[in-house]
Amino acid sequence: MTVLITVWGASPGVGKSTLCAGLSRWLADAGLRVDHFREEEILTRPQFAAVAEAFKTTGAVDLGTLIATTAQFVDSALASGDDVVIADALMPFVPTLLAMGHGEETIDAFMADLTEVLAPLCPVMVFLDGNAEAALSRAARREGEQWLDRYVGKLARYEVSPPVTDVASAVKYLLRERAVTLGTVGRKEWGLVVIERADELPPGEVLRAAQRNLMPWLGRSVSHEP
């Protein structure tokens, strides 16, 4: 069975992309066929063309479109014969739904539909937990202070709750985003791996923790030793 490993975190800068790259190399080195779905690829993957077009024209996307395009993605993954899909900040789309103003009841109902669609891929979420303020600071050091201004400005334009006007309110919003994401995933038939204090750990240690905890879904085909 193809395993979908989707990586999320408490904040930008917590190490999602670094972990995705490390997991992809590890699994490929073990001889598995791996599809590394990078965060920005939702705008170019053909299965998500309708999503990209909706964002381009209206800045939002219908929930039915998200489900339909995800179903196309599942069909593509199964047809390709990949053993593992590593998705960087893709499903379950919770930040997107919050940004569009959807409440938790709607998100939970959407998650039920999404879980049914993803069932053939055995979805597992790896959540990098940590201090959102510290992770934002790390991202700003890496990307520049203008990045942080743009990030806060983007959240300020969305219909998020609590509303965002500055870094402090962005951190409060990220705490809600974390709670909704972990809550809705925990209520569905997903695997869930939470790596605590990921913002404080070296990337190699985060990778090793993810490797160990993913073994129940990956089986004996890989070793968690680096």
Side-chain angles (χ1 to χ4, degrees):
M1 173 179 273
T2 303
V3 177
L4 169 66
I5 301 172
T6 182
V7 179
W8 276 97
S11 168
V14 78
K16 298 186 302 295
S17 297
T18 300
L19 177 59
C20 286
L23 288 173
S24 297
R25 287 192 299 269
W26 167 57
L27 294 168
D29 288 346
L32 300 184
R33 294 185 58 176
V34 180
D35 176 12
H36 182 182
F37 194 133
R38 294 167 176 81
E39 184 173 4
E40 67 274 11
E41 289 182 24
I42 193 168
L43 298 177
T44 57
R45 291 264 180 150
Q47 298 82 17
F48 287 96
V51 171
E53 181 62 24
F55 276 124
K56 180 181 177 181
T57 56
T58 68
V61 60
D62 179 75
L63 300 188
T65 300
L66 277 178
I67 293 293
T69 53
T70 301
Q72 294 176 33
F73 170 71
V74 170
D75 290 342
S76 175
L78 295 174
S80 71
D82 291 324
D83 297 300
V84 183
V85 179
I86 306 289
D88 182 352
L90 183 63
M91 298 147 202
F93 305 110
V94 169
T96 297
L97 301 178
L98 288 173
M100 291 191 297
H102 293 295
E104 293 178 33
E105 185 175 338
T106 298
I107 291 173
D108 210 54
F110 170 84
M111 187 63 172
D113 294 337
L114 181 68
T115 300
E116 183 176 349
V117 167
L118 290 177
L121 294 187
C122 186
V124 183
M125 170 180 281
V126 177
F127 191 89
L128 302 183
D129 213 352
N131 184 292
E133 186 174 6
L136 282 177
S137 296
R138 184 163 72 174
R141 288 194 299 271
R142 183 186 65 213
E143 305 292 340
E145 288 297 329
Q146 290 185 340
W147 173 88
L148 185 56
D149 291 340
R150 289 194 300 270
Y151 177 73
V152 171
K154 179 179 71 173
L155 291 180
R157 292 191 298 272
Y158 293 153
E159 301 175 39
V160 297
S161 177
V164 173
T165 57
D166 54 17
V167 173
S169 55
V171 169
K172 290 181 180 179
Y173 165 71
L174 287 169
L175 289 172
R176 179 178 182 232
E177 183 181 282
R178 170 193 179 278
V180 175
T181 300
L182 290 176
T184 192
V185 169
R187 289 189 291 272
K188 308 305 175 188
E189 295 179 3
W190 286 50
L192 177 60
V193 172
V194 178
I195 300 177
E196 298 180 352
R197 300 186 300 107
D199 58 312
E200 302 175 21
L201 301 175
E205 192 169 339
V206 173
L207 175 59
R208 287 189 290 273
Q211 290 169 335
R212 288 192 301 271
N213 286 284
L214 286 169
M215 295 305 291
W217 294 276
L218 297 173
R220 298 171 183 249
S221 55
V222 294
S223 167
H224 69 259
E225 296 299 326

